[in-house]
Amino acid sequence: MDHTLYVTLAWAGGVGALALLVLASVIASRRARAALDAKERRP
Amino acid sequence: MSIWEFANPKKFLQLADRIGPVLWTLALAFLCVGLSWGLLFTPDEARQGSSARIIYLHVPAAMMAINIWIMMLVASLIWVIRRHHVSALAAKAAAPVGAVMTLIALWTGAIWGIPTWNTWWAWDPRLTSFLIFFLFYLGYLALWEAIEDRDAVADLTAILCIVGSVFAILSRYAVRFWGNGLHQDTSIPVATGGRTIADVYWLPLVISLIGFFLLFLALVFTRTSTEIRRQRLRMIELREARG
């Protein structure tokens, strides 16, 4: 039973979705922090 | 020190900044060990062959999908009862994580179904209730974006969350309620403790489960902090616009 294709597809989709979620969350966090810092620093 | 202190956005941000890096590091470590152990160092299963390795993504994602909704329910109830904005924002922050977990469970389950059941989809109680559950997540996210008034949208999403919890519970116990579908009952019955999975598969699965849970915590702390900062930014901009 060679199910390599199924395992690859499932793992690529699953790990890829997790990686995208982490990336999007970290980028959004950095942007929000930078925008707020810039606003609060302005006199 | 009371837990309600963290309902103060400033205190919550301080806590998130302090424990965030620890959570991210632990989550990454557990996920790397659990997933690579499961994918690379477990033997083929006797009947399912190598496709059994899908379990290390499918089961943690499905468990988190349901548990995240329950966490959103608790946060929504805290909002409804005590009107703490941080809890409403935490529910909002958790929703995309839950939606992605549900999508991963559906995707990996569909792929797993091809060699196991000879079909990627069936209108089975567990599969159908999980698909409806995914639509609840999408509806919840859409509702947050649809209404401008922050308190009104928090109230409405809390109601949607309470209604959706019925589906969260139905998804969890669908196999037992209707028991005539393709999907098997759980291999890890938490209440009775009598698991039906061999140790060689069980250990990496537990490590993956812990990794998924830690990743969820890290994501929720990060995303809630982002929501708090965005709200603060919006308030400053509104104040500036008013002069």
Side-chain angles (χ1 to χ4, degrees):
Chain A
M1 282 184 290
D2 183 22
H3 295 152
T4 311
L5 175 66
Y6 302 124
V7 177
T8 309
L9 280 174
W11 275 71
V15 175
L18 281 182
L20 281 178
L21 177 69
V22 168
L23 199 64
S25 303
V26 170
I27 290 172
S29 164
R30 290 192 171 206
R31 280 190 182 167
R33 190 189 290 261
L36 187 61
D37 283 352
K39 230 359 153 203
E40 286 180 332
R41 236 181 275 129
R42 203 189 313 165
Chain B
M1 187 206 272
S2 157
I3 192 171
W4 301 114
E5 279 185 29
F6 299 109
N8 176 335
K10 208 171 172 185
K11 287 245 167 157
F12 183 90
L13 286 179
Q14 283 171 352
L15 173 75
D17 284 348
R18 217 169 38 237
I19 67 168
V22 180
L23 285 172
W24 280 110
T25 310
L26 284 173
L28 200 67
F30 272 89
L31 281 175
C32 282
V33 172
L35 292 180
S36 52
W37 185 355
L39 181 66
L40 304 171
F41 303 107
T42 51
D44 283 3
E45 205 267 341
R47 276 175 295 180
Q48 300 187 44
S50 59
S51 68
R53 292 192 176 97
I54 296 172
I55 199 173
Y56 303 106
L57 284 173
H58 181 73
V59 169
M63 283 177 95
M64 288 313 299
I66 294 172
N67 291 332
I68 288 171
W69 192 277
I70 302 299
M71 172 261 157
M72 285 161 57
L73 172 69
V74 173
S76 299
L77 289 175
I78 291 172
W79 160 254
V80 170
I81 296 164
R82 298 191 65 138
R83 311 304 279 180
H84 290 319
H85 282 95
V86 171
S87 66
L89 293 176
K92 182 188 181 191
V97 185
V100 169
M101 293 295 177
T102 315
L103 191 63
I104 292 173
L106 284 168
W107 168 254
T108 51
I111 302 274
W112 203 357
I114 301 171
T116 314
W117 298 334
N118 251 339
T119 181
W120 64 274
W121 183 260
W123 295 101
D124 154 291
R126 169 66 63 87
L127 274 64
T128 309
S129 59
F130 232 79
L131 179 64
I132 297 171
F133 190 44
F134 179 58
L135 298 178
F136 261 100
Y137 267 119
L138 295 187
Y140 182 90
L141 288 169
L143 193 54
W144 266 107
E145 297 307 317
I147 298 168
E148 194 64 37
D149 184 327
R150 295 287 95 183
D151 283 7
V153 74
D155 285 338
L156 291 171
T157 50
I159 293 168
L160 182 63
C161 195
I162 293 164
V163 176
S165 347
V166 177
F167 258 92
I169 293 161
L170 275 182
S171 302
R172 173 71 181 78
Y173 296 106
V175 179
R176 276 180 230 170
F177 288 157
W178 291 290
N180 58 350
L182 282 172
H183 200 288
Q184 64 162 77
D185 200 355
T186 178
S187 302
I188 318 158
V190 179
T192 58
R195 61 188 156 89
T196 57
I197 181 169
D199 281 351
V200 70
Y201 303 112
W202 167 246
L203 288 173
L205 181 59
V206 169
I207 295 171
S208 296
L209 281 166
I210 297 169
F212 268 73
F213 179 67
L214 289 167
L215 180 68
F216 162 67
L217 286 182
L219 280 166
V220 163
F221 271 100
T222 303
R223 297 182 68 93
T224 308
S225 304
T226 305
E227 292 296 336
I228 292 171
R229 289 194 172 99
R230 279 182 182 158
Q231 203 169 53
R232 169 113 185 95
L233 197 60
R234 209 176 298 129
M235 282 166 64
I236 293 173
E237 282 169 355
L238 273 174
R239 211 181 302 145
E240 283 177 356
R242 284 193 200 120

